Amino acid sequence: MNWFTALTDRLFRPKPRTAEQRARDLLRAVDAGGVPLNVAVVNHIARELGLDVSRKARMPETIERIRKVMAGR
């Protein structure tokens, strides 16, 4: 790998996003509407934020719980 490739790789590599950033993106998508959501993705974000996600929880309830956590941050 030459120096130019190493430099461009370092500059343009996407930075890892935090759970909070992913939650904000999720809430923006929900508010925008028309975006299909995946239950597994919503539950994964909720778990990363420290929420207990049971199999019986419905997605709208989980999204509201994510909203409450994000409002406190």
Side-chain angles (χ1 to χ4, degrees), residues 21-52:
Q21 289 169 329
R22 286 192 294 279
R24 283 190 192 96
D25 291 345
L26 170 72
L27 295 177
R28 271 191 229 113
V30 169
D31 292 339
V35 177
L37 296 174
N38 185 333
V39 175
V41 172
V42 172
N43 288 342
H44 179 74
I45 291 171
R47 279 190 213 101
E48 284 184 335
L49 292 172
L51 298 173
D52 182 35

Side-chain angles (χ1 to χ4, degrees), residues 2 7 9-10 12 20-21 32 36 41-42 46-47 53 62:
N2 64 26
L7 178 64
D9 185 48
R10 174 72 100 172
F12 298 109
E20 286 83 9
Q21 289 169 329
V41 172
V42 172
R47 279 190 213 101
V53 181
T62 304

Side-chain angles (χ1 to χ4, degrees), residues 5 32 40 52 58:
T5 306
D52 182 35
R58 287 183 244 138

